[in-house]
Amino acid sequence: MLDPLSYPGFTLFSRRKNRRPGHFFALTLLVCIILSSCQSHTQPDPLPPGPEVDQPYNVLVLNSYNIGFPWSEDITDGIEQAFDNCDIRPEIFVEYMDTKRYPPEDIFPSLVPMYNSKYENTPIDVIIAVDNNALSFVATYYDEIFPDIPLIFVGVNDFKPEMLGGIKEATGIIENPDPRETIDLILEL
């Protein structure tokens, strides 16, 4: 398992309106590195010279919240921008779990058959879980829905390695607020 990425004193995805430059650069780098490593899993033998094979990567983005929720929109936009800046042009599938309106214990069981049905014929190369509830869903149903698919998690609060359950290939960006930096910002305003 890869070590989760954390930048002490640096919250990669800020809910503030004035985001620091470089937020999406780190996500771009992380996504490109993970997808580059996925290539070795999905295509173990190099293709012989000949016509190019057009088989895009499939990325599943699981948003904990709903369409229109600013946090979800910002993260989804950041992921799309990351891929725009990357040589790899994947097919991106976005799912909104709506856990702000429906508790995970109520909604998760109904999402399992839906995702199984939707993605049974679509080989997913990497999953991006956005926020704690999406990570919890992936960890809980990993063997059932997403076996052996690498995971990137973003915006996870109070991260502990056991939150990954049995997921072996995972890395992510955790929210790591810095109280001193927050106080300094308040004093500047």
Side-chain angles (χ1 to χ4, degrees), residues 60-69 71-77 80 93-102 107 111 114-115 118-119 130 134:
L60 175 60
V61 178
L62 294 176
N63 270 296
S64 291
Y65 308 125
N66 52 287
I67 294 174
F69 189 76
W71 174 245
S72 297
E73 297 301 318
D74 288 349
I75 296 290
T76 303
D77 290 347
E80 290 172 356
F93 300 89
V94 180
E95 297 289 345
Y96 293 89
M97 301 172 75
D98 209 6
T99 62
K100 281 284 187 200
R101 293 187 270 203
Y102 303 99
I107 195 76
L111 294 175
M114 182 177 73
Y115 293 161
K118 284 180 80 171
Y119 299 105
V130 180

Side-chain angles (χ1 to χ4, degrees), residues 29-100:
L29 181 62
L30 180 62
V31 169
C32 289
I33 289 169
I34 294 296
L35 286 179
S36 295
S37 70
C38 289
Q39 186 173 14
S40 64
H41 294 292
T42 57
Q43 297 175 339
D45 299 318
L47 294 174
E52 230 176 84
V53 176
D54 186 26
Q55 184 178 357
Y57 288 98
N58 294 316
V59 176
L60 175 60
V61 178
L62 294 176
N63 270 296
S64 291
Y65 308 125
N66 52 287
I67 294 174
F69 189 76
W71 174 245
S72 297
E73 297 301 318
D74 288 349
I75 296 290
T76 303
D77 290 347
I79 290 167
E80 290 172 356
Q81 286 176 10
F83 285 118
D84 286 345
N85 297 322
C86 187
D87 289 338
I88 300 167
R89 302 282 183 233
E91 179 84 26
I92 301 174
F93 300 89
V94 180
E95 297 289 345
Y96 293 89
M97 301 172 75
D98 209 6
T99 62
K100 281 284 187 200

Side-chain angles (χ1 to χ4, degrees), residues 147-167:
D148 303 320
I149 299 173
L151 170 69
I152 298 172
F153 56 90
V154 298
V156 172
N157 296 296
D158 304 316
F159 178 78
K160 295 173 185 65
E162 48 273 8
M163 293 169 78
L164 295 173
I167 302 171

